[in-house]
Amino acid sequence: MTTVGSLAVALADAFLAADRWLRGDLVASGGRVLGVRRRWLWPVADAALAAYPRAPRDRPRELAAFLANLALLAEVVGAARQRGHTVAVRARPVTPTRTVRRPWSTPVLDDLADLARLLDVTPDQLDWYADRRAMNRRADDQRLHHYRYRWTVAGRLIEAPKPRLCALHRRLLAEVLGPLPVHPAAHGFVPGRSAHTFAAAHAGRAVVVRIDLAAFFGSVPARRVYGLFRTAGYPEPVAHTLTAICTTRTPAAVLRAAPVDLPDRVWRLAALRGGHLPQGAPTSPALANLCAFRLDRRLTGLAAAFDVDYQRYADDLAFSGELPPRRVADLLAAVTEVVRDEGFRVHTRKTRVRGRADRQLLAGLVVNERPAVPRVEYDRLRAILHNAARTGLAAQNHAGHPAFAEHLAGRVAWVGHTHPGRAAKLAALLAAALASPQT
């Protein structure tokens, strides 16, 4: 028996298969699908043309949903049932989706075949990595899972895609997500921006307010990621598949292994149970930034209203300026409301308000005067390098880093950034450690 929904889908396919997006062509195509040109097809075509001045070739599902909500279609199906008949669908034309608009210079992906070619996979492999059968969430055999899972001591769930899926993520990051613009206030995981640019915007301020977002990646639901891909112009099937590849649902066994003292445990596990961005996937930081665009825009406007500056580094929100205590309380309340309205949550126990007399710390950098690593971290690294020059690098590798020399070089670059004096001393000590006979 034909339902309103199935009839709407058939008519949507028929309309999109019409030669032209004109009244007569829509009715003619609908008549071929039904086997006869019904009189009620004319007002249905009129409604579609009024709602969509141009053919929505990138969104057949949306068109079908629109037609299903027409009272006329319900009346037609209902009247047929009363007479003991059905509105028969005689044919089902299939029209490939097509990109209608490209607001940014992203690759054109008209359909799933184009996406498969971009990722260099077969259609079956694309279906597998999109997890159409929900094997990642339901299968007990971990070989059928797309991710490896690990709960950290801090209560974060690391969901790292396995090598082949990780390679697909990296390609999507470079070719699909790279051209999409992020908000100027976002500094984490953005080329040309860093923890230092984030912190520099708040250096030398009277008051610095740092607010942490709880479960940042897990708070970004699949529906928001889908909305982002649709905004980028991708047709519905392509946007759905991209979303399925870039998001995941955490298996029940992994959720049961969550720490019992996990803060906001019920809320966090509920978010992980649904589709969300996995922390540990290459695409997640970029997608989180893009999906937080409206949050950044609203908080930038809020900061302007309070005459302060705002920046964000991943899940760290920072505000700074001249703020008396009463205004700080008002700002915190307003930020909490905006964050909640955007689908995120403030980690209240990590909120910090620091004045000039306090140590103002952002992203691991002290910003009272200029962004700099805390002195204690500099002293600790200097001691490690000094000892390594005498005993060799291996003797100082207490944490068991697999590439300890490269790790130390990275730490030297981090600690010495924007501080030439420290950088020169540490570089000399590192050179001595590398040249040590014990190394």
Side-chain angles (χ1 to χ4, degrees), residues 73-382:
L73 223 57
E75 292 172 4
V76 167
V77 173
R81 286 177 181 172
Q82 287 180 353
R83 296 193 303 269
H85 299 152
T86 184
V87 182
V89 175
R90 306 294 184 186
R92 290 297 300 270
V94 177
T95 303
T97 53
R98 195 171 71 208
T99 301
V100 173
R101 61 186 185 87
R102 288 175 62 216
W104 301 291
S105 56
T106 51
V108 176
L109 301 173
D110 286 330
D111 52 30
L112 296 183
D114 285 346
L115 179 57
R117 281 191 290 271
L118 174 75
L119 297 178
D120 194 21
V121 296
T122 67
D124 286 343
Q125 289 172 331
L126 184 66
D127 194 60
W128 167 252
Y129 289 116
D131 199 26
R132 301 291 188 197
R133 301 177 184 177
M135 300 295 287
N136 186 77
R137 181 163 52 100
R138 297 176 181 173
D140 294 327
D141 190 342
Q142 294 188 5
R143 291 175 297 179
L144 299 177
H145 291 175
H146 292 316
Y147 293 83
R148 294 189 176 94
Y149 302 92
R150 177 174 60 87
W151 286 99
T152 69
V153 176
R156 295 179 183 268
L157 175 61
I158 305 302
E159 300 177 287
K162 292 179 180 178
R164 189 67 181 95
L165 179 59
C166 187
L168 300 188
H169 276 243
R170 292 190 185 282
R171 181 167 293 188
L172 290 175
L173 176 63
E175 301 194 31
V176 174
L177 300 178
L180 303 184
V182 299
H183 195 277
H187 287 257
F189 318 109
V190 179
R193 307 178 201 173
S194 65
H196 284 276
T197 61
F198 166 69
H202 304 281
R205 301 298 176 85
V207 176
V208 175
V209 179
R210 186 177 74 84
I211 300 171
D212 184 77
L213 298 180
F216 182 50
F217 293 115
S219 297
V220 180
R223 65 178 181 277
R224 183 168 287 187
V225 177
Y226 171 75
L228 170 69
F229 286 126
R230 286 290 295 122
T231 301
Y234 289 114
E236 286 175 338
V238 175
H240 275 295
T241 303
L242 286 170
T243 301
I245 290 173
C246 294
T247 63
T248 187
R249 295 173 181 264
T250 307
V254 177
L255 297 178
R256 288 195 294 270
V260 294
D261 58 347
L262 186 68
D264 299 316
R265 194 174 193 273
V266 173
W267 170 73
R268 288 181 185 235
L269 296 188
L272 294 172
R273 193 174 295 114
H276 63 278
L277 290 179
Q279 181 166 352
T283 54
S284 290
L287 283 169
N289 273 340
L290 292 164
C291 290
F293 190 96
R294 192 171 64 180
L295 171 69
D296 290 330
R297 185 176 61 187
R298 292 182 65 182
L299 291 180
T300 298
L302 181 66
F306 278 82
D307 197 23
V308 296
D309 289 318
Y310 161 73
Q311 310 290 330
R312 178 176 60 81
Y313 187 85
D315 55 1
D316 280 348
L317 315 179
F319 299 84
S320 65
E322 299 287 340
L323 277 173
R326 180 182 58 80
R327 293 287 284 169
V328 169
D330 292 341
L331 174 65
L332 292 175
V335 169
T336 300
E337 183 178 351
V338 170
V339 166
R340 185 188 302 114
D341 191 45
E342 289 298 320
F344 298 96
R345 182 175 293 198
V346 169
H347 198 317
T348 54
R349 283 177 288 183
K350 291 188 176 181
T351 298
R352 299 288 183 270
V353 180
R354 297 290 183 262
R356 282 198 176 95
D358 307 310
R359 189 175 73 161
Q360 299 169 334
L361 196 65
L362 291 176
L365 298 169
V366 178
V367 297
N368 291 69
E369 295 181 6
R370 61 174 179 172
V373 170
R375 177 76 192 199
V376 63
E377 186 173 345
Y378 166 69
D379 290 340
R380 186 184 302 118
L381 178 59
R382 187 178 60 176

